[in-house]
Amino acid sequence: MRQAVQVLVDEPAIDREFTYLLPPELAAGRVPVAVGTIVRVVLNRRRLRGWVTELDAPMPSGRELAPISGIVGVGPPPHVVDLAKWAAWRWAGTRAHFLRTASPDRAVAGVPSEPATWPHLPSPELAGTADWVREAWTTDPPMPRVARLGPCADEWPLVIEALRRGRSLVLVPTVAWAARLAGRLRRAGVSTSLAPRDWAGAVAAHAIVGTRAAAWVPCGQLDAVLVLDEHDEAYQSEAAPTWNARDVAVERARRDGTHCLLVGPMPSPDAFVLAGQAVADPIAADMAALQPATDEPASVTVIAEPRPAERDAWPRLQVADRRDDDPATGEWCGEALAELLRSDAVVVCVLNRTGRARLAFCNSCGELAVSRHSGRALRLDKQQFTDPDTGEERPAVCESCGATKFRRARVGVKGVAEEMERLASRPVIQVVGDAAATAADIATGADGRAGDAHGPPGSRPPLYIGTEAVLHRVRAADAVAFVDFDQELMAPRYRAAEEAFALLVRAARLAGPRSGDGQILVQTRLPAHPVLSAAAEADPSDWVRGEWERRVQMRQPPAAAWALVSGAAAPGYVEQLSAGPHAALLDIAGSAEGTWRIRSDDRAALLDALAAAERPPGRMRVAVDPLRA
């Protein structure tokens, strides 16, 4: 009997199915053909990969079907294929993009069968959990909940309680964290899949642990979903479609009718929205239906460990008020930081600017040092001025008052490192980006102290300075210092405060809890900022409420839905949106540097409009609720 199947080809620009004939010899092969099976087909003389999306498709009349060329291997199961369809709508992408993420990176001929029952938790280490942990996982009916856990607290009890409910998906933001947690579970006797590397093993594993791509694992019914550090931007793709693994995990839990816990030291406004609309139909749901009058973030129950334990899971936060300093001088080091640098502590300094400063001010009169010829600012390097145009060097002498002392303005990592070494009289290691020197990873012991690579035993440990990458590259420190935290708090992005809070969370894990004398020093001219108050008190409740109110007033995500449209084909696409059936519900801002902002208080209307508009030929990018906006 001839059988026709629908195949979605792996070509995002096409994003449609084609009908092919399934030859009997392939249907009877060692890889069963089902929805999600990865196949090879020929389309317009091109051999393409694709996914079966429908079996026993209607046979077209009047034309002969091309046969499927071959079976590649097992692909995502039917419910994950359907999830990809939802994600394509949610982030204005194509199904092929998400099915690529959901597919194994090599051909898989078969997957293990699912066990009929899950084993009991065998290890004494998996014994009882605290009352607040059990409460976090108790909802009837199951729905997403928000939980707070201090940055230095152990996530293990939450993981254990999830496993008591059966098969659990645990998402974490980093590969190192996933490997550590998976290893701990295996040592405790729990069948564990580290996704997406162990793609096939996820089908039969008791625990599935992984980063962003793990949200698409091919397992069947989930009994618990746990997202740790749900606020972390590593869960969201910066490339379009700008999908978020946290949201995918919540949707999987909703479809499976299971428990879902969104955990972090600083619950994001998005987490509260997801918890507030958990039982709604995702296609018809209006995630922005949380009206300001309802004060929704305060009304969603937040589960947290007891206050003393939560407070102890944060390091001490010292706020160094720089308002008494002359802002024109650009001085980077206050008294509190200088004292810390001169101590014997292992200190990691964070400054999200690289290089040396290009501006220098006279320490006496505040006059800017400029070139006599071009009027451009001179560069200060080792008490010498360099003309950026001619390369000419001259002594650093102020032409206005004759003073010889200058200060850099908005100094970068390289400039701070040079001055820091002279100030502290000990080595300084620079860490900037992934390509930076890896000495920070290699030459420190478990306690973060420098080894022989930085001097003989007993010598003073080095200091570290870098962009936020340094928080990921150094393994341990006594203190973390933010040289200029105002640039984080006042960054021109709607998520600036949230991103700044996330940096404090990462710094807290590096410095350790206050019980171990962990310390964070923040230099700022905004000492009363809600982010700093929340971190100092180890209680983000007021910050979340204020952040939500601000985003409601400014109509920013998640209180409103955004889409940024850019590229050569964007004008035609925006024109279709303006004339479409949902145009009255859309607020379309004019082009700014080739980018249009589409905003709506009705998320479903915006997403329906994006899906209905035909994409014209040419390059175009659609970013729904992007991180950087």
Side-chain angles (χ1 to χ4, degrees):
M1 179 179 176
R2 289 156 53 90
Q3 181 183 8
V5 297
Q6 290 277 304
V7 176
L8 174 70
V9 295
D10 188 3
E11 182 54 67
I14 299 176
D15 194 31
R16 55 164 291 195
E17 285 104 342
F18 295 90
T19 305
Y20 286 88
L21 188 67
L22 178 61
E25 63 272 18
L26 295 182
R30 65 190 183 102
V31 177
V33 178
V35 171
T37 300
I38 304 173
V39 298
R40 288 284 182 191
V41 297
V42 176
L43 179 66
N44 294 333
R45 300 181 181 179
R46 294 174 60 198
R47 284 178 56 85
L48 298 173
R49 186 177 75 157
W51 297 270
V52 175
T53 58
E54 183 183 346
L55 299 174
D56 299 318
M59 296 285 292
S61 59
R63 66 184 180 89
E64 188 67 23
L65 291 178
I68 289 177
S69 303
I71 306 295
V72 176
V74 178
H79 65 277
V80 175
V81 174
D82 191 57
L83 184 69
K85 182 178 180 181
W86 168 84
W89 172 85
R90 171 62 181 84
W91 287 285
T94 62
R95 288 171 293 169
H97 177 93
F98 296 104
L99 290 176
R100 284 177 180 175
T101 306
S103 299
D105 58 4
R106 60 180 63 86
V108 174
V111 295
S113 59
E114 297 190 18
T117 59
W118 297 111
H120 295 293
L121 304 179
S123 171
E125 190 179 0
L126 305 178
T129 52
D131 290 341
W132 79 270
V133 175
R134 287 192 292 272
E135 181 187 356
W137 283 109
T138 304
T139 55
D140 189 18
M143 63 179 62
R145 302 190 76 180
V146 180
R148 285 209 317 261
L149 187 70
C152 299
D154 189 1
E155 74 277 7
W156 189 243
L158 289 169
V159 176
I160 295 170
E161 200 61 30
L163 291 170
R164 294 188 190 284
R165 281 147 180 78
R167 190 208 315 256
S168 301
L169 171 63
V170 183
L171 296 185
V172 296
T174 67
V175 173
W177 189 347
R180 174 182 61 80
L181 181 56
R184 189 174 180 183
L185 285 166
R186 287 167 179 161
R187 289 191 297 273
V190 179
S191 170
T192 304
S193 167
L194 182 58
R197 185 171 64 188
D198 186 14
W199 185 89
V203 173
H206 189 190
I208 302 142
V209 181
T211 54
R212 183 168 65 200
W216 297 94
V217 289
C219 65
Q221 172 83 24
L222 290 168
D223 299 301
V225 174
L226 176 61
V227 183
L228 297 171
D229 269 13
E230 58 79 24
H231 67 273
D232 200 297
E233 62 184 31
Y235 286 124
Q236 183 160 341
S237 169
E238 290 197 48
T242 51
W243 66 280
N244 192 301
R246 173 199 57 211
D247 297 41
V248 174
V250 169
E251 175 61 14
R252 287 195 74 161
R254 189 201 68 83
R255 292 178 176 222
D256 287 348
T258 193
H259 297 83
C260 179
L261 201 58
L262 306 176
V263 182
M266 43 155 290
S268 66
D270 302 81
F272 287 99
V273 172
L274 289 169
Q277 61 92 48
V279 296
D281 183 334
I283 301 297
D286 177 7
M287 295 175 67
L290 307 174
Q291 298 300 325
T294 65
D295 196 20
E296 187 64 32
S299 68
V300 175
T301 301
V302 179
I303 307 299
E305 56 186 338
R307 282 295 301 145
E310 183 179 17
R311 190 179 300 109
D312 288 345
W314 280 86
R316 290 181 175 82
L317 180 72
Q318 180 182 358
V319 178
D321 188 354
R322 305 298 311 282
R323 287 178 297 180
D324 294 335
D325 297 336
D326 182 359
T329 64
E331 178 68 41
W332 64 268
C333 183
E335 292 183 6
L337 179 56
E339 182 180 351
L340 184 62
L341 296 176
R342 291 188 180 111
S343 70
D344 288 333
V346 177
V347 183
V348 171
C349 296
V350 182
L351 179 61
N352 274 328
R353 288 193 299 269
T354 59
R356 297 185 179 89
R358 293 180 178 272
L359 304 179
F361 291 90
C362 175
N363 193 44
S364 298
C365 67
E367 188 73 17
L368 176 67
V370 297
S371 169
R372 303 171 184 171
H373 307 288
S374 64
R376 295 180 63 190
L378 297 171
R379 298 178 186 174
L380 179 64
D381 186 16
K382 297 179 181 179
Q383 300 306 309
Q384 291 281 329
F385 281 140
T386 302
D387 192 310
D389 294 313
T390 64
E392 178 185 354
E393 295 183 350
R394 65 178 179 84
V397 177
C398 178
E399 294 190 339
S400 177
C401 69
T404 57
K405 292 186 177 181
F406 287 81
R407 295 180 181 176
R408 293 186 176 93
R410 298 187 64 80
V411 67
V413 167
K414 193 170 184 178
V416 167
E418 294 170 353
E419 297 186 12
M420 186 184 295
E421 194 158 3
R422 291 194 294 269
L423 173 68
S425 300
R426 52 174 165 156
V428 175
I429 298 175
Q430 300 179 44
V431 182
V432 182
D434 293 338
T438 58
D441 286 327
I442 298 170
T444 56
D447 62 352
R449 297 283 173 177
D452 294 340
H454 304 299
S459 63
R460 298 179 70 201
L463 299 169
Y464 299 95
I465 175 71
T467 59
E468 62 186 84
V470 72
L471 297 175
H472 299 273
R473 303 300 293 274
V474 179
R475 292 181 298 194
D478 298 316
V480 176
F482 288 91
V483 177
D484 182 5
F485 203 62
D486 293 344
Q487 72 167 359
E488 314 298 342
L489 295 172
M490 305 305 294
R493 299 185 294 272
Y494 78 90
R495 294 180 69 254
E498 187 176 345
E499 293 171 356
F501 210 146
L503 282 178
L504 293 178
V505 168
R506 179 65 193 134
R509 293 210 174 101
L510 185 58
R514 63 185 64 194
S515 59
D517 294 328
Q519 179 185 358
I520 298 176
L521 174 66
V522 173
Q523 293 195 138
T524 178
R525 290 183 170 86
L526 302 168
H529 195 283
V531 167
L532 297 176
S533 299
E537 296 296 326
D539 185 356
S541 303
D542 290 340
W543 170 77
V544 172
R545 188 177 296 108
E547 184 71 5
W548 171 259
E549 292 172 352
R550 183 186 66 81
R551 295 198 193 181
V552 167
Q553 294 170 1
M554 301 297 292
R555 297 180 66 203
Q556 296 171 337
W562 281 15
L564 300 183
V565 183
S566 58
Y573 185 71
V574 172
E575 185 177 346
Q576 289 190 57
L577 294 174
S578 303
H582 300 90
L585 299 175
L586 305 181
D587 177 7
I588 302 177
S591 171
E593 298 181 355
T595 299
W596 282 259
R597 187 188 63 198
I598 320 298
R599 181 168 56 185
S600 178
D601 295 326
D602 185 333
R603 183 179 299 275
L606 172 62
L607 300 179
D608 285 341
L610 296 175
E614 183 179 349
R615 298 199 177 199
R619 295 181 61 84
M620 186 178 69
R621 182 178 189 267
V622 180
V624 177
D625 296 341
L627 288 173
R628 305 284 183 257

